Amino acid sequence: MARKARQRISYGALTLTHHQEASPHLPPLTLFYIDIVLPLANSPGGHRLGVNGLAVDSDRSILYSGGRDGVICAWDLNLDLKKDSTETQNPFASPDDPPVDGGAKKTSTTFRGQVQAHTHWVNDIILAQSNSALVSASSDITVKVWRPHSKEDQTATTIGLHSDYVKCLASPGPHSDWVASGGLDHKIRLWDLNGGGEKLQISVGEDENSDKGSVYALSVRGQIMAGGGPESIVRLWDPRTGKRITKFVGHTDNIRDILINQDGNTIMTASSDQTIKVWSMAAGRCMHTLTMHNDSVWTLYSNHPQLSVFYSSDRSGMIAKTDTRGNLDLDEGISIAIAQEHEGVNKVVVAGDYLWTATSSSSINRWRDVDTQADIQAPESPRQHRNSTLTTPSKVPSPPIAQKSKALPDAKKQIPFSSILRISNSVSMSIARGKDNETGSYNSEAIGRKPSEAMLDSDHGVLHPYHSLPEETIEGQNGLIKHVMLNDRKRVLTLDTTGEVMLWDLLKGVPIQSFGKRHLEDVTPEVNTMESVANWCGVDTRTGRLAVVLEENYCFDSEIYADELELEEPIVFREDQRINLGKWILRYLFANLIDEEAKRDEAYRITLLTNRSRTQGLRRDNAPQALVLPPSQSNGWQQNQDDGESAITPRPTNGFHYPAITPGLSIGVATPAVAPSSHGTAMQSHLPSTAEEETPIENRKSHSSNPRTSGDYFSSAPLPPQQAVNGNEAPAVPSEVGAQAPTEPEKDAKGGSLFGKKFRMNFPKKLGGRSSVEAKPTVVDDKSEESDKSSEKEDKIVEDNFYGIIQKIRNDYDEQLETNPSTALQVGVSPSPPTETPVLRPPPNTTVIIQEDRPDSGGVADLYRGTIKSVGSDADLIEKTAPMWLGDLLLRNQIPFKETVKVSFVLQPYQDLLPSIASADGNSRLNANRMLRAKKILGYVAERIEPQPEHPDPTALKPEEYLDLYCQNQLVPHTMTLATLRAHVWKTGGDVMLYYRSNGRKADLEKRLSSQVVSESVT
């Protein structure tokens, strides 16, 4: 069977998803998501979680960063990045020297802008098309392009999808019109940056018949593309054809980064095995293994054509610069520890005289580059070395030599000997040549550019990076990293990166209380409540913000009683009225959209009536207004104007067509009192019905109340209210259609076949998000009464999206004009009123995202991104991208049908002090809606143990005032629901055991009822 499709809507704290049954004859239906991200307080810009990607536009002096919060930020560096430090740097200059022009030089970085490009981690970013396009790869399986200098569109556009996390990107050159991406789906894909889609796809490991092949590192240069991953194999392909060229084997752990030189004959790889390897394409093997790192090497960077100067960083946080220029053997180069970060370094980029590092912190550090052509400072004497190792802790860098140059202005700037790294294990460690007796330093030129030979035979001491502190830190923001959903399903506790615990209101979309820096586990018991509410949303903090996800198959499951709400504006509710949480929040997330659609609907009706009047003016005087057709079999949900009846099962509604009634709170017999007879007669309960159950459903003007003139094979006569209480079904009462998810209207009608009378066969119909074709009933009556007009209406096809609901509304207008041209049109846009959804005012800058599920690629793609404030102006786009069930909810106040969840329980008198409510065979097992309150159960008991007066006394005690309910020897509060009772009091499986007794407020109740029972038994 075809896969079910879902639609999901999410907002800063909410996301909603729809499941839709696909026809076995049609392709899988599309899944939509709407994501909404709540804004955090004081959001000036910047990342809220760690930074994974960096890219520099040297021409414009802009730094781009991609973070784990899904955000891409742009920073104005206010620096001249076109100078080369190795060529223009004054060897006698100091960072503390004033500017040459004597003026104050502005070097502080400022925030330029940002875009919430992704809904998951950004793993890599690169600049392309002459720095006009920024491409990003994310764990939300998308590859997107953002054009920050475009004046038309400032949003990130999806150019491709993988079926798993996308880990890396590569571009063949700064002016190329395509990029390559690699991910955990074992695929490398080439994407056209001009909207051409996928150019080429390469399956990694396919030639080796391996199920492995995740890609963590990727690089392209000319006619060579290299990729690597956890298999420790470097694979090479031709990017033009996708054919594999060769592979290199030598690493023993995950390959994390790859560089290719300009000629394409040398490849450099960094691995988690703590080594950097240099491979020769001509020789087809590894030529050098560099071991300057003592931890997993995570990133490489080089802007040198032959990779003679490159930068590397590792998991311990050390950043190294290696220079092998002028040396035939790489072992003769120099490697310097530039800086030491506090966390592992995810990315290093270099421009001009500076380098920037990204770590798991939300901040970005800028460091001054080091001139590797400078002389190396002489090592300390053994005595000095011993003293320094005793007073200096491990890995704590010493002040850079640049600070000492101020005290010695005439001394040439030198590289501290303690900052030199052993470039390879094969390097000789003897003190050999080139010591300057006058200055006490080692001249790198005098020793033949082999400064590593200036080291001692033994360990030369504690490593001191060249820089102890960054030159500047681009500060990030605080992000959320952990959350706990409370039992009421309305509030969430969050923990941020500073350790602060915050309480959020999901309905209002704002934080309501701060608990300071405490453990989340300590705060949870203080604010949690003893209640059980159905799950209606998912909460996510993976991007550092609070996001709530709603899925159509459960977002309408949760309800709360209106008398428990704390509203700004007082509203008069019915007794025990319940509010659907999913319906409530969606109503005000898209309030501006509803207003816009209402305006468009009004304009459409005015235009329709105007055109109708013009058409009427062109008719002859004696022309009939319309063709006379047989009575229609389908009159929708309009008021019954004649005895005509539709052959189509009507869809349930909870809008204006029915009076607002609290959903079904009736109690039904869970176990039949009498075993079923062999001839199949329907079983009935021996319990009398309550007053609530006896409310006649025939009062409503709907198809379910219309008399049927003929029946089909599956038709059956309606049961009396007391007969409807059978099996696990609650009695059919008016409360079963209301603010809750509407149930299926009764299909029973008077008359019908004998088979239908004997066997109650009701087939529930799935509702919501359907086209007009899907709205047809399963069984169609082919009688001749079906008119041509009804068939014509059914043949109208509408789009399977939000706009499809608008089409249905407009089709209804056309039908109204055809049938009753002289009457006013009944307005089709009828959103839920404040009595069903009290007014909410979520923050207007809350982000709203509509996403589409891509089953073929295993993930989702963004279709729309906006805010609560902008959904009205974006109505045209939302009509095309939003799912149909959302339109049904917002414009027609209809939610998809779903069976009510019930709880079974056994109800008995406490110590037999009161009469039993059991049936004649002793059955007292019942079931009811999980949201039924204890006081309703007591009302049920009161109606069955004592006769009810014909004219109730308004001053009389209510059942909950003179009766008590017990479970597990605990007194049950009158407002506790069955769901809470089962979860927090009963705490076990099986039927819940409940006992009722008198609390003494009604004098002699137990004695009077007991004597009455005795007299009845004697009689």
Side-chain angles (χ1 to χ4, degrees), residues 820-892:
N820 300 296
S822 59
T823 60
L825 290 176
Q826 182 178 355
V827 179
V829 176
S830 55
S832 59
T835 54
E836 294 185 22
T837 51
V839 176
L840 289 175
R841 294 183 177 88
N845 56 336
T846 301
T847 305
V848 180
I849 309 169
I850 299 179
Q851 297 175 312
E852 179 186 45
D853 184 30
R854 300 286 176 83
D856 53 339
S857 54
V860 297
D862 290 356
L863 299 181
Y864 168 78
R865 185 184 293 265
T867 62
I868 292 179
K869 181 172 57 177
S870 67
V871 293
S873 57
D874 297 335
D876 291 335
L877 183 56
I878 293 177
E879 288 176 359
K880 299 177 182 178
T881 57
M884 179 178 283
W885 63 263
L886 181 64
D888 232 358
L889 171 67
L890 300 181
L891 303 184
R892 304 203 296 185

Side-chain angles (χ1 to χ4, degrees), residues 375 594 640 645-646 748 802 827-828 894 939 983:
D375 292 339
I594 295 174
N640 197 21
E645 181 180 5
S646 173
D748 299 339
F802 191 100
V827 179
Q894 297 181 4

Side-chain angles (χ1 to χ4, degrees), residues 778-792:
T778 304
V779 179
V780 179
D781 189 359
D782 293 328
K783 304 263 181 174
S784 59
E785 299 101 322
E786 189 169 25
S787 65
D788 296 337
K789 181 178 177 181
S790 177
S791 300
E792 181 182 354

Side-chain angles (χ1 to χ4, degrees), residues 474-500:
I474 304 174
E475 296 291 344
Q477 308 299 320
N478 300 327
L480 306 180
I481 56 176
K482 194 176 181 181
H483 70 274
V484 173
M485 174 77 83
L486 300 182
N487 291 338
D488 59 9
R489 300 289 174 180
K490 297 183 297 182
R491 299 173 301 154
V492 171
L493 277 175
T494 60
L495 177 70
D496 66 13
T497 50
T498 64
E500 182 180 7

Side-chain angles (χ1 to χ4, degrees), residues 8 100 134 204 235 276 327 433 437 469 668 693 750 753 808 829 889:
R8 184 178 75 181
V100 177
L134 183 77
V204 180
R235 295 183 174 92
I276 298 173
N327 298 283
R433 305 159 290 179
N437 294 326
L469 296 172
E693 296 167 358
K750 296 180 181 179
S753 64
K808 289 184 178 182
V829 176
L889 171 67

Side-chain angles (χ1 to χ4, degrees), residues 102 220 223 283 318 364 387 416 430 465 471 564 795 807 895 971 976:
V220 182
Q223 301 177 9
M318 189 190 74
I364 302 170
N387 293 336
S430 61
E471 194 172 66
E564 299 175 354
D795 290 337
Q807 290 178 309
I895 58 178
L971 179 63
M976 181 175 287

